[in-house]
Amino acid sequence: MANKKKNSNTSKKKTTKKSNSTTKKVNSSKKTTSTATKKVNTPKKTTTTKKRTTPKSSSTGVKNTKSKVVKKDEIKIISGDVEKVEKEVKLPKLKTEQKEVSKNTNNPEIVMKTEEYTVLKKDPIRYKGKEKSAPVQGKKRIVKSNAKKVEKSKKSDFLKTINKLRRKIKIYGINSVIPIKYIVVGIIILALLIITPKIFSLFDKKSNLDLSSIPDRIDQLTTVSFDLDDVSGIISASDAYGSLKDYYEYDFKETIGLNPTYVNDYVIKINKSKKQAFIAIKPVDNYYDEVKNVIDAFLKDNEIKKYQYLEYQGYQIYIKSDNDAVVVSKIKQSQQRVFNIMKDLKKEDIEKELKVSDADYDEALVKTPMVVKSDTCGYVIFKPKNQSSKEKIKNLMEDYYKGLEAKWQNNEDNRTLVQNRYFEEYKGYLIYIVSHDNNLVLQLLKS
């Protein structure tokens, strides 16, 4: 109801003001009519009561307000005066409707929206065979600070100088720290270090063994050595003996009284009438004294006295002749071939006898005795392809020589030769030598 009273009061005030304005307009000149007619042509709608209030007119004439609208049929002209008849202005009713207020007495509460989610464990990513491990769940990543390193570098004088030099090199170049002459010398030394191994490898290639020339140098090689096969030549060359009788193994027990098992090799020549003798016996190990005692007794029984006794290259030599000094000289001048007659093995023969495949060596020279039943001298030279082949060849050769030792178990000379074999790795070659003078053979191989 309070709102309605206010509206009624405002309407009364507006009407009084309008009456005043009309009286003023009647007294005005024709100019007011012209203004009124203009405002009729341009009406403006108003919705509020305030806009319909008309301001006071000026001395020049009445100016129509924005809030008032004058229609053409409401103006009457009587004897030059303008009379304005206004209808009662009906104002729109005020809205009394109000927004409905919610009667809910519940106090609002803060609602947190939560979402549930699950962590998907991805498989590790693989890059070119390398596995990238997935991060460990629940393990915190430790971020290391560089503060300690910086602090340490500031405290260390050495690091300070290093950093200073680095900055100087970066700005002015390396020659600002190291003189150019030292840089040149360093480059030359580095180049020499790189080139030197290649130069040595070239020299090594030139210094390889020439396997094709080795047989000519050593196959016919002889050495100063006593050989029982040379006894007949020694006796005839000395011209100090007459006719001599040979004694054989079946004469040992009955004639000489010697056990044949004590002897490896022998030559026994006697002339009982002239009291001459040439005896050379190579006893078995540990029977030197027994053999010497038996021969001394045999010569005494045959009244051969004042003979010369000589131990030479494992032989017990007894000499009684017209000129013993000449005979001894011829014995010491006698020569023996380092190797006996040998044969050259080809690839197929090498694999058959030594079990060494040609896939394991680049070069090979293998010489074995021609008469395998009575001789064991020879030499073997291999150049393996690689380290694995070298070890394989060494093992196979050890097996081969162990077989020879077992083969010559009852032949002391050959067994000793095999046991005294020589082995050396020389310029990438494996060298095995079984001969009567291994040192001499090796010297000629290396020459």
Side-chain angles (χ1 to χ4, degrees):
M1 295 299 288
N3 292 332
K4 288 181 179 180
K5 287 181 178 180
K6 285 182 179 182
N7 291 333
S8 62
N9 292 329
T10 54
S11 61
K12 288 180 179 180
K13 290 179 180 180
K14 288 177 183 177
T15 53
T16 54
K17 286 181 180 180
K18 287 178 183 178
S19 62
N20 292 330
S21 63
T22 53
T23 55
K24 288 181 180 181
K25 286 178 184 179
V26 171
N27 295 325
S28 64
S29 64
K30 291 181 180 180
K31 289 179 182 181
T32 55
T33 59
S34 63
T35 56
T37 56
K38 285 182 182 179
K39 287 178 181 179
V40 169
N41 293 332
T42 58
K44 289 184 181 180
K45 295 180 180 180
T46 56
T47 54
T48 56
T49 56
K50 288 182 178 181
K51 289 182 179 179
R52 288 177 182 172
T53 56
T54 56
K56 293 180 178 181
S57 60
S58 60
S59 60
T60 57
V62 177
K63 289 183 180 181
N64 194 12
T65 62
K66 292 180 182 180
S67 59
K68 185 175 180 180
V69 177
V70 180
K71 292 183 180 181
K72 191 175 180 179
D73 55 357
E74 294 178 354
I75 301 173
K76 295 178 179 180
I77 303 172
I78 301 172
S79 64
D81 293 332
V82 178
E83 183 181 354
K84 186 177 179 181
V85 179
E86 291 182 356
K87 293 182 180 181
E88 186 180 357
V89 178
K90 294 182 180 180
L91 296 177
K93 295 181 180 180
L94 294 175
K95 292 181 180 180
T96 57
E97 296 180 356
Q98 296 179 357
K99 291 182 179 180
E100 293 183 0
V101 180
S102 177
K103 298 180 180 180
N104 190 0
T105 57
N106 294 334
N107 294 326
E109 294 181 358
I110 298 172
V111 178
M112 299 295 293
K113 187 177 180 180
T114 58
E115 295 181 359
E116 293 183 359
Y117 61 93
T118 57
V119 179
L120 298 177
K121 186 177 180 182
K122 294 183 179 180
D123 293 333
I125 302 170
R126 300 179 185 275
Y127 298 99
K128 296 181 181 180
K130 294 182 179 180
E131 183 176 349
K132 186 177 179 182
S133 59
V136 180
Q137 297 293 334
K139 187 175 181 180
K140 293 182 178 179
R141 184 179 176 184
I142 299 172
V143 180
K144 293 184 179 179
S145 175
N146 293 326
K148 292 183 179 180
K149 291 183 180 179
V150 174
E151 187 179 356
K152 188 177 180 181
S153 63
K154 287 182 179 179
K155 290 182 179 179
S156 175
D157 295 334
F158 176 75
L159 293 175
K160 282 182 181 179
T161 53
I162 292 295
N163 292 331
K164 185 178 179 181
L165 292 174
R166 285 175 63 187
R167 289 192 298 270
K168 192 173 181 181
I169 290 170
K170 190 174 181 180
I171 297 170
Y172 301 108
I174 194 170
N175 57 350
S176 63
V177 177
I178 303 172
I180 296 175
K181 59 180 181 180
Y182 293 123
I183 296 172
V184 173
V185 171
I187 293 170
I188 293 171
I189 292 171
L190 183 62
L192 288 174
L193 291 174
I194 295 170
I195 295 171
T196 302
K198 295 183 179 179
I199 296 172
F200 280 118
S201 65
L202 292 174
F203 279 114
D204 288 339
K205 288 181 181 178
K206 291 181 180 179
S207 62
N208 286 344
L209 293 176
D210 185 5
L211 299 185
S212 60
S213 65
I214 288 175
D216 295 335
R217 294 203 306 267
I218 65 174
D219 284 8
Q220 305 300 323
L221 183 64
T222 59
T223 182
V224 177
S225 178
F226 178 67
D227 190 358
L228 293 179
D229 295 335
D230 296 334
V231 170
S232 298
I234 292 169
I235 291 172
S236 61
S238 64
D239 199 14
Y241 288 100
S243 60
L244 298 171
K245 180 184 177 180
D246 291 324
Y247 288 80
Y248 300 98
E249 190 174 342
Y250 54 80
D251 297 322
F252 282 3
K253 285 186 178 182
E254 295 179 1
T255 306
I256 302 173
L258 182 62
N259 189 344
T261 58
Y262 294 172
V263 179
N264 280 327
D265 208 353
Y266 66 94
V267 169
I268 300 175
K269 295 178 178 291
I270 303 292
N271 188 333
K272 290 182 180 181
S273 61
K274 290 185 178 182
K275 307 300 181 184
Q276 293 178 347
F278 187 98
I279 301 173
I281 297 178
K282 193 171 189 179
V284 177
D285 293 342
N286 302 324
Y287 291 102
Y288 282 91
D289 293 336
E290 287 82 358
V291 172
K292 187 176 185 303
N293 294 332
V294 170
I295 298 300
D296 287 340
F298 174 72
L299 294 175
K300 186 177 181 180
D301 292 342
N302 287 278
E303 296 180 355
I304 299 173
K305 301 176 182 178
K306 294 181 181 180
Y307 53 85
Q308 187 169 348
Y309 175 74
L310 177 66
E311 290 186 1
Y312 182 68
Q313 293 183 353
Y315 289 90
Q316 293 176 348
I317 301 174
Y318 298 83
I319 300 169
K320 177 59 179 173
S321 68
D322 296 337
N323 193 346
D324 295 344
V326 175
V327 176
V328 172
S329 176
K330 293 295 181 181
I331 289 171
K332 291 184 177 181
Q333 289 177 9
S334 63
Q335 293 183 346
Q336 182 183 16
R337 289 182 62 175
V338 175
F339 300 103
N340 295 321
I341 301 173
M342 297 182 296
K343 61 181 179 180
D344 189 6
L345 298 185
K346 304 301 181 182
K347 289 183 179 180
E348 298 79 8
D349 300 326
I350 291 172
E351 188 169 2
K352 184 178 178 181
E353 293 192 21
L354 306 181
K355 312 299 182 186
V356 178
S357 174
D358 59 343
D360 293 324
Y361 58 84
D362 294 324
E363 294 181 85
L365 177 60
V366 179
K367 290 290 187 78
T368 57
M370 183 70 74
V371 184
V372 182
K373 293 182 179 180
S374 61
D375 191 15
T376 190
C377 293
Y379 59 89
V380 177
I381 302 173
F382 282 114
K383 186 175 184 181
K385 285 191 173 181
N386 49 50
Q387 184 66 28
S388 176
S389 298
K390 181 173 75 172
E391 295 299 325
K392 186 177 179 180
I393 292 172
K394 288 170 72 173
N395 293 332
L396 290 172
M397 290 305 298
E398 284 298 315
D399 295 339
Y400 171 73
Y401 285 119
K402 284 179 181 179
L404 288 180
E405 290 180 18
K407 176 183 177 181
W408 302 115
Q409 188 174 2
N410 296 326
N411 188 320
E412 185 67 22
D413 290 341
N414 288 338
R415 183 166 62 86
T416 303
L417 285 172
V418 175
Q419 289 176 345
N420 294 334
R421 66 184 176 273
Y422 182 82
F423 168 72
E424 183 179 346
E425 293 185 27
Y426 179 69
K427 292 183 178 179
Y429 291 86
L430 304 178
I431 301 173
Y432 296 86
I433 302 170
V434 178
S435 70
H436 296 286
D437 195 339
N438 295 334
N439 291 329
L440 182 61
V441 174
L442 188 63
Q443 288 175 9
L444 290 174
L445 281 175
K446 291 182 178 180
S447 62

